[in-house]
Amino acid sequence: MEEFHRSISLPFSFRKLKKEIQQGKYHQTQIRSIIWRICLGCFSQEPNPKEFCDLIHKHRERYSLLKKKYIRTFKVAGNKKKNNNSSYNKKENTTRIKNQNKDYDFSNLILLDVKRTNAGEELFKKNETKKLLFNILFIYQKQHLDLGYKQGMNDLLANIFVVVYNEYITNENNDCYSILMDNNYIEEDCYLIFEHLMEKFRNVFLSVKQDNNKKNKKRNKKKIDKSKEDNQTKTTNFNTEGIIISPPLAIKSQNKAKPKINKKRKIPKIVKYCIKMQNVYLKRFDEELYKNFQLLKLEPQLYCFRWFRLLLSREFSINKILILWDYIFSDPNPIEFVSYFIVSMLILIRDQLFGDSTKVYKKLFSYSYDGKFDDIINITKNIRKPDEKTNKMIMKIKKRKPSPMYKHVIKSNRQPRAVNSRKNQPNPRSRKNLPNNEQIKIINKNQIKRYFLEKQNQKKKNKLLNEKKIILQQILSKVEDQMIPIDFIENPIQNIQEIIFNNLYHSQEIQKKLYRPLGDLKNVLLKQSSTSNLKDINEYNQKFNLNNNNYSSRGDIGSKNNIVDKHKTRDENLSNLKDINVKGIFKNEKTETFIEFSNVLCNKETIPRDNILINNTQIPNIFIKSDNQNKKNPIDDWSIIIYSFTHNAYSNRKRKIHITEDTQFDLFTKTNFKKNYLNNFNNSQSNSFFVSNKHIPCVLNFKYIAENNPILI
Amino acid sequence: MENFKICFMGDQSVGKTSIINRFIYDDFNINSQSTVGVDFLSKTIFVENESVRLHLWDTAGQERFRCLIPSYVRNSSLVVIVFDITNKTSFKSIEFWMDTVQNERGDDVIVFLVGNKTDLEDERQVSLEKLEKEANKNGFLYLETSAKTGHNVKQLFRKIGISILKQNKKRKELIKPELDENTSLMNISLNIDPNKLKQKEESGCC
């Protein structure tokens, strides 16, 4: 009661209420049924509290009329059907019977589903509840023949019913509050809320056929109208003007032509939402996960379909769903909210979404997140806000030219390089557009960062990690012993890519050894916020024990110095991308060789290209140098690192690889590398050649040294 | 271990989900919720001294979206079409499901036909004669099960495993260059009149 008066006190506006809901003030509300009615637009304008009652009365009357109309006729129809079956065939108009049979089928369908909704709960075992659910669904189906009844509606309705049933009271005072919550009208109000809910999420339930039918119907209506007009003109205007008949005819012929175009396979809107979720939102925020899904050939509509259609109501418990629905209903763009929510759902369990396809599928199709539910909502908010403007930007770019994104990235970055003026500025574009929001952005991102840090701590406990480590060790041991059979490299290319990619990247220890915070969101953030985040970097380094000492503890003196130097320069010139980039060393203890990773790996493999767009990064050349000087026996020293070029955003691009003169090629004979490339190399008689993305270069006993020279081939 | 994708199709509430649940959990729930969209479960079985991991994909009966089905049937090595022996209409719509599979995959897929709910033998509406005709006509592998009692469910999946392994071996042989090119995949799977297919294509969609 008090809550009601407080929230609906004058001056009262829907917008204010919705804002408050978005802020999470109504988690424990007792007037959710009223809030939902407001959010879903049951009250068309913004009335006084007293006018609420009038409106609700009208709705209730309307429903009772509908109920009289449909439920009765249905009963009659059902009886007649039985009569027909039991040999007493007294036939009336055949058309009528057909109609009734249709009703009967739908009612059967609805009955089946009503029986199965939340069947475990006491409330739903009652016959009254079943009747209520059935009535509402049946009437809705009759009232909205174009949409009909679809599986899933029953789940949505059940949740509404739970809310209304629990909140409604006996009407004693006859004031506004108790009229709105009168428990004599549970069914009526459930229908009202349900109808408006369906209105809002209609697209989620539409199938392609219905979409077309709707249009056709409209067309037919138009046709009928026009033909009527035709007749009228014929009859009435015939005497005055004889020419009028021709223009409608022209329109008719146009109408005939259009449906042929519609015969193409159309995608229903819900599938579009799913695809957009994965290909746009997820890709933007977590490109790696997106790529992994592509690798698994996982289409979003398979796992997202239910999430969208049921507004996630089977994924979480009812209490959480009610809170979630508050957010969804009060949002100006509910579908977008759901999409982002799904993205954050995925991100929060992302560590479990890599690796074996069976595991990933299982996880996706029975989603569970151990942490707090609020986490998901907070992340949803955070990833959504800062992206809105970049979203628009990207949309604009896409509209301009249909070619893939990265081309624009490189082109747009090329110019500032030539001018050489933007190097020390963080990002002029964002400054111009978002002078005030920049700080807020960073705060939001820090929050997200924290989530990731927490998540990485959880990783330690994860058994998966151990498995991955073992696999990695196996691979590396094979690698060290040069036991990799040719088939292993050649044949299941995708598998090996997957394994190595996942293992190298996800096991934390190896991350420390090799990759540092490679690909972590932190990097992304570092880049975007440039110099303002110096402190954060230090914090981050400490947390991950990634300070310089630890970092190069196993390295020999020379390389240590080098790295330290690089670090210094990195901290000095944060705006200079060359130095921000992740560097790492992997040491092979047996052979005492080093492989240095630098921005070659991190730029291409892990950091989403959107960030590269912002930061003028360009594709560096990859230099492979042999490091024979300190080695006793070069061939023993071969250590191997395999990584694929196919995983990155530049996959369509060829990359130049330089090999210095003293590089030994003996080992290439063991792999297919020689067949494909060495001949080419010898023929060209130059010290560089091209590697296309299809092949895996095996780099043995070499150092990677990345240079920042851009290549554009 | 190789994964094999198996799709379950059929009308609403014929018992697709129940069969899968019986197989995986050996359990039956009268009030199982209706499937919305697609569901996924997996189990490893041992057939003929080989372990086979089955990926079971379960669709909603009502979803006749043409756009959801392609991504669902794609890469599947076997399709199970389920109908309810106490429900004539579910039997009639076998043709519809068959068409959707064939439109997407051609003949390159094994099809199992499963009549569920044998525990309700008294209410049977689809006679065995009809079934024989249908199965012979299309070359289906037919089996009757009851998810409620568990009748024939294990056998179903064993047969599925066996036929998948067979198909897989033949495929592998085909890939080897020594074999004749004449032995095509067509011989492995169903025999279906090309004329019939054409007719259906002409008649359009569902």
Side-chain angles (χ1 to χ4, degrees):
Chain A
M1 268 280 270
E2 284 172 22
E3 195 189 0
F4 172 73
H5 288 299
R6 207 189 323 123
S7 55
I8 310 202
S9 59
L10 292 169
F12 166 73
S13 80
F14 288 166
R15 197 180 286 172
K16 187 186 146 203
L17 184 71
K18 282 178 185 174
K19 257 192 183 175
E20 285 183 347
I21 295 166
Q22 288 290 329
Q23 288 161 7
K25 286 187 181 176
Y26 286 88
H27 282 190
Q28 302 296 328
T29 181
Q30 292 298 315
I31 53 164
R32 184 162 273 128
S33 57
I34 294 176
I35 287 173
W36 281 7
R37 268 178 275 180
I38 291 170
C39 288
L40 291 170
C42 300
F43 308 115
S44 51
Q45 293 157 354
E46 296 189 4
N48 292 324
K50 286 171 189 173
E51 288 170 33
F52 276 130
C53 306
D54 297 338
L55 279 168
I56 209 87
H57 273 306
K58 278 181 194 170
H59 282 302
R60 284 169 183 169
E61 278 170 25
R62 183 174 142 254
Y63 180 78
S64 59
L65 284 176
L66 287 174
K67 196 176 171 182
K68 273 179 194 170
K69 188 179 166 191
Y70 288 121
I71 300 300
R72 268 190 186 174
T73 52
F74 159 69
K75 275 178 186 169
V76 174
N79 289 336
K80 271 174 190 166
K81 229 255 168 171
K82 277 179 188 171
N83 286 339
N84 286 342
N85 281 345
S86 59
S87 77
Y88 291 103
N89 281 335
K90 292 182 178 178
K91 289 189 178 177
E92 300 159 301
N93 288 332
T94 48
T95 50
R96 234 193 225 175
I97 288 170
K98 269 184 187 173
N99 284 336
Q100 285 162 3
N101 284 346
K102 265 186 191 171
D103 280 3
Y104 195 77
D105 284 341
F106 250 123
S107 70
N108 249 346
L109 227 142
I110 294 170
L111 252 182
L112 263 174
D113 279 347
V114 165
K115 275 182 195 168
R116 295 195 279 180
T117 31
N118 299 4
E121 292 171 31
E122 284 297 319
L123 176 61
F124 288 91
K125 279 179 187 169
K126 289 180 187 171
N127 273 333
E128 297 152 12
T129 4
K130 284 176 187 170
K131 231 181 213 174
L132 182 144
L133 296 179
F134 175 81
N135 285 348
I136 292 172
L137 290 171
F138 187 74
I139 292 169
Y140 181 82
Q141 175 264 125
K142 292 297 284 183
Q143 274 292 95
H144 303 263
L145 285 172
D146 52 334
L147 190 61
Y149 170 75
K150 289 277 167 63
Q151 280 188 325
M153 286 181 178
N154 51 336
D155 283 62
L156 297 181
L157 179 61
N159 285 348
I160 293 170
F161 174 70
V162 168
V163 169
V164 173
Y165 181 83
N166 285 328
E167 287 183 354
Y168 272 38
I169 48 167
T170 49
N171 184 3
E172 290 168 345
N173 303 327
N174 212 27
D175 62 344
C176 179
Y177 174 73
S178 36
I179 288 173
L180 281 176
M181 310 274 258
D182 191 343
N183 66 359
N184 289 321
Y185 296 102
I186 287 178
E187 187 174 335
E188 285 82 349
D189 291 0
C190 277
Y191 180 77
L192 177 67
I193 297 173
F194 179 68
E195 195 179 27
H196 281 86
L197 173 71
M198 290 311 301
E199 192 56 42
K200 205 160 194 175
F201 294 94
R202 194 191 160 77
N203 286 338
V204 170
F205 281 86
L206 271 183
S207 58
V208 178
K209 257 185 164 182
Q210 282 165 338
D211 233 351
N212 287 342
N213 282 344
K214 209 175 100 190
K215 283 169 192 171
N216 288 336
K217 267 183 191 173
K218 275 184 186 172
R219 253 171 235 139
N220 289 337
K221 269 188 184 176
K222 276 181 191 172
K223 272 186 196 173
I224 293 162
D225 292 343
K226 271 152 199 166
S227 59
K228 273 180 187 172
E229 281 172 19
D230 270 349
N231 292 333
Q232 283 174 356
T233 49
K234 272 178 191 172
T235 52
T236 55
N237 299 341
F238 187 70
N239 296 329
T240 52
E241 286 178 30
I243 321 156
I244 299 170
I245 305 158
S246 56
L249 273 178
I251 292 165
K252 267 187 183 175
S253 62
Q254 278 179 3
N255 283 339
K256 274 179 189 170
K258 273 182 185 173
K260 281 181 186 173
I261 305 161
N262 278 341
K263 273 191 176 177
K264 281 182 190 172
R265 263 198 187 184
K266 271 200 166 184
I267 302 171
K269 285 209 168 143
I270 180 168
V271 177
K272 277 183 191 167
Y273 295 146
C274 295
I275 291 169
K276 194 181 177 190
M277 190 283 299
Q278 182 167 309
N279 290 2
V280 179
Y281 299 136
L282 182 65
K283 192 179 177 186
R284 183 189 303 143
F285 192 72
D286 196 342
E287 189 159 2
E288 221 181 314
L289 191 60
Y290 165 77
K291 279 175 198 159
N292 189 46
F293 281 174
Q294 280 195 326
L295 226 148
L296 296 174
K297 290 173 184 169
L298 186 62
E299 292 180 48
Q301 60 265 37
L302 292 180
Y303 64 93
C304 271
F305 188 90
R306 185 174 68 209
W307 296 357
F308 268 106
R309 174 163 278 193
L310 301 183
L311 300 176
L312 297 144
S313 53
R314 280 195 197 168
E315 266 45 58
F316 300 98
S317 66
I318 178 93
N319 294 328
K320 290 169 184 171
I321 285 303
L322 298 184
I323 291 168
L324 174 64
W325 280 17
D326 286 347
Y327 284 107
I328 296 174
F329 294 163
S330 62
D331 201 281
N333 190 348
I335 295 293
E336 198 187 86
F337 183 87
V338 177
S339 309
Y340 275 110
F341 187 81
I342 291 172
V343 170
S344 38
M345 274 167 71
L346 295 177
I347 287 168
L348 277 171
I349 57 159
R350 80 192 286 278
D351 49 339
Q352 297 167 53
L353 297 179
F354 287 90
D356 183 29
S357 62
T358 315
K359 276 179 196 168
V360 175
Y361 289 152
K362 269 188 181 172
K363 193 69 203 169
L364 279 175
F365 281 93
S366 56
Y367 182 88
S368 66
Y369 171 61
D370 302 331
K372 286 179 184 172
F373 182 71
D374 290 345
D375 291 357
I376 312 178
I377 285 173
N378 286 339
I379 284 193
T380 313
K381 284 180 181 173
N382 280 329
I383 57 175
R384 196 178 169 195
K385 267 189 185 172
D387 273 4
E388 274 173 357
K389 288 203 171 177
T390 46
N391 189 6
K392 281 177 190 171
M393 255 171 48
I394 290 163
M395 288 303 289
K396 274 183 191 173
I397 294 168
K398 277 184 180 173
K399 274 178 189 174
R400 252 183 264 147
K401 284 170 193 174
S403 51
M405 267 267 303
Y406 55 84
K407 284 186 181 172
H408 297 287
V409 174
I410 290 152
K411 275 177 191 169
S412 63
N413 288 332
R414 221 180 179 184
Q415 291 162 350
R417 283 254 160 183
V419 180
N420 218 3
S421 63
R422 288 191 189 179
K423 258 195 174 179
N424 294 323
Q425 289 174 12
N427 181 11
R429 197 183 294 143
S430 70
R431 273 199 176 174
K432 274 177 193 171
N433 291 343
L434 311 161
N436 297 325
N437 290 344
E438 205 174 321
Q439 281 194 332
I440 301 165
K441 259 187 178 180
I442 293 161
I443 291 164
N444 285 335
K445 281 165 193 163
N446 284 336
Q447 285 173 356
I448 302 168
K449 240 181 284 164
R450 253 165 250 146
Y451 280 113
F452 274 90
L453 292 180
E454 284 174 16
K455 237 179 52 197
Q456 289 200 335
N457 287 333
Q458 283 178 3
K459 269 187 192 171
K460 285 180 185 172
K461 299 165 192 171
N462 208 334
K463 287 180 184 175
L464 277 174
L465 190 73
N466 290 329
E467 291 176 18
K468 282 175 183 172
K469 270 185 204 166
I470 292 164
I471 298 169
L472 182 74
Q473 280 167 5
Q474 285 172 355
I475 292 168
L476 287 179
S477 65
K478 275 183 185 174
V479 162
E480 283 165 12
D481 301 335
Q482 303 176 30
M483 288 298 284
I484 291 187
I486 291 170
D487 289 347
F488 187 57
I489 299 169
E490 278 179 20
N491 220 1
I493 288 175
Q494 276 211 336
N495 289 341
I496 204 174
Q497 282 172 1
E498 196 183 328
I499 294 167
I500 291 176
F501 187 69
N502 288 336
N503 284 304
L504 285 183
Y505 178 68
H506 287 286
S507 89
Q508 211 180 31
E509 266 196 38
I510 285 153
Q511 263 190 36
K512 279 183 194 172
K513 266 190 202 165
L514 307 172
Y515 277 67
R516 291 199 76 214
L518 184 69
D520 196 314
L521 192 71
K522 178 70 186 180
N523 275 304
V524 177
L525 298 170
L526 274 181
K527 294 192 152 199
Q528 284 180 352
S529 52
S530 97
T531 45
S532 58
N533 263 11
L534 255 171
K535 286 179 187 173
D536 289 334
I537 296 162
N538 293 331
E539 277 176 25
Y540 189 73
N541 281 341
Q542 283 166 6
K543 271 185 185 173
F544 281 87
N545 294 328
L546 288 170
N547 41 31
N548 297 339
N549 292 333
N550 194 349
Y551 183 40
S552 54
S553 58
R554 289 183 184 178
D556 65 7
I557 303 160
S559 64
K560 187 179 177 179
N561 289 338
N562 282 337
I563 294 156
V564 173
D565 288 341
K566 276 171 192 168
H567 273 276
K568 278 178 186 171
T569 51
R570 183 177 70 107
D571 289 341
E572 281 162 14
N573 298 322
L574 270 172
S575 57
N576 189 343
L577 279 162
K578 186 182 173 184
D579 298 312
I580 296 174
N581 282 328
V582 180
K583 296 183 178 86
I585 276 190
F586 173 69
K587 188 191 169 200
N588 185 342
E589 287 182 353
K590 280 184 186 171
T591 56
E592 292 196 334
T593 51
F594 297 90
I595 299 168
E596 187 179 329
F597 298 83
S598 71
N599 52 0
V600 182
L601 273 175
C602 73
N603 272 342
K604 290 177 183 167
E605 302 297 333
T606 54
I607 293 175
R609 63 169 182 257
D610 289 9
N611 302 297
I612 296 169
L613 177 140
I614 296 165
N615 285 293
N616 304 339
T617 313
Q618 305 213 347
I619 318 168
N621 273 356
I622 298 166
F623 278 80
I624 304 168
K625 282 185 184 173
S626 69
D627 193 12
N628 289 337
Q629 295 171 355
N630 303 325
K631 310 298 176 288
K632 294 163 194 170
N633 184 356
I635 295 169
D636 285 343
D637 289 341
W638 300 103
S639 58
I640 190 168
I641 186 75
I642 305 164
Y643 76 92
S644 85
F645 288 99
T646 52
H647 271 293
N648 54 56
Y650 311 98
S651 57
N652 293 328
R653 224 156 254 287
K654 284 183 177 177
R655 194 158 297 117
K656 211 172 189 178
I657 290 192
H658 299 277
I659 294 183
T660 49
E661 286 177 30
D662 54 346
T663 310
Q664 301 233 358
F665 286 102
D666 297 28
L667 208 117
F668 286 134
T669 53
K670 290 185 180 179
T671 67
N672 217 24
F673 199 80
K674 187 188 174 185
K675 283 183 209 163
N676 290 329
Y677 297 113
L678 211 53
N679 294 333
N680 191 9
F681 178 63
N682 290 336
N683 291 337
S684 65
Q685 290 183 343
S686 68
N687 64 343
S688 62
F689 60 91
F690 298 108
V691 178
S692 82
N693 58 52
K694 282 179 188 171
H695 302 280
I696 305 172
C698 302
V699 185
L700 307 164
N701 195 26
F702 293 142
K703 268 192 176 179
Y704 280 82
I705 298 165
E707 290 199 359
N708 232 6
N709 305 325
I711 51 153
L712 293 163
I713 303 160
Chain B
M1 186 164 34
E2 273 190 85
N3 301 330
F4 295 99
K5 186 176 175 182
I6 295 160
C7 294
F8 278 74
M9 299 173 120
D11 273 13
Q12 195 179 24
S13 75
V14 293
K16 300 176 290 299
T17 312
S18 295
I19 290 176
I20 292 173
N21 279 342
R22 168 59 77 184
F23 170 59
I24 287 179
Y25 305 114
D26 197 19
D27 189 20
F28 178 75
N29 180 12
I30 305 170
N31 297 316
S32 67
Q33 281 184 314
S34 54
T35 313
V36 172
V38 183
D39 240 332
F40 171 83
L41 285 166
S42 87
K43 189 169 182 175
T44 309
I45 56 169
F46 294 92
V47 186
E48 294 177 345
N49 297 328
E50 283 189 60
S51 58
V52 182
R53 190 188 278 151
L54 304 179
H55 281 189
L56 306 174
W57 294 78
D58 181 17
T59 39
Q62 210 197 3
E63 297 311 335
R64 294 191 170 188
F65 283 175
R66 293 191 80 194
C67 299
L68 201 58
I69 286 170
S71 56
Y72 169 70
V73 181
R74 204 173 297 147
N75 304 326
S76 61
S77 32
L78 195 144
V79 173
V80 181
I81 297 177
V82 186
F83 71 95
D84 177 359
I85 60 162
T86 66
N87 183 349
K88 261 187 188 175
T89 47
S90 74
F91 178 69
K92 279 175 189 166
S93 52
I94 288 172
E95 263 188 52
F96 164 78
W97 294 112
M98 201 56 223
D99 286 353
T100 49
V101 173
Q102 281 174 354
N103 281 339
E104 200 49 47
R105 296 292 307 271
D107 298 343
D108 179 27
V109 65
I110 313 169
V111 177
F112 266 71
L113 186 63
V114 173
N116 194 25
K117 306 195 186 176
T118 49
D119 49 300
L120 304 173
E121 188 64 44
D122 305 339
E123 300 169 34
R124 180 189 276 276
Q125 288 187 1
V126 186
S127 67
L128 281 168
E129 291 173 9
K130 268 189 186 177
L131 282 168
E132 264 179 35
K133 272 186 189 175
E134 185 74 21
N136 287 334
K137 192 171 75 183
N138 291 327
F140 290 134
L141 300 155
Y142 178 68
L143 216 73
E144 289 202 342
T145 62
S146 166
K148 197 173 183 179
T149 61
H151 170 66
N152 254 352
V153 173
K154 276 186 185 172
Q155 280 87 328
L156 169 68
F157 283 95
R158 183 165 297 144
K159 282 190 178 179
I160 285 173
I162 290 168
S163 51
I164 277 181
L165 280 178
K166 264 187 195 172
Q167 195 196 32
N168 199 34
K169 275 174 193 167
K170 283 193 182 177
R171 255 197 201 139
K172 278 182 182 169
E173 282 169 5
L174 278 178
I175 293 165
K176 284 180 186 174
E178 296 121 11
L179 275 176
D180 295 344
E181 289 175 6
N182 297 332
T183 53
S184 69
L185 286 170
M186 296 289 281
N187 297 339
I188 299 164
S189 52
L190 304 172
N191 304 313
I192 286 152
D193 292 338
N195 297 327
K196 203 187 162 192
L197 258 177
K198 274 179 191 172
Q199 280 172 9
K200 274 161 194 169
E201 277 170 8
E202 281 163 9
S203 67
C205 73
C206 44

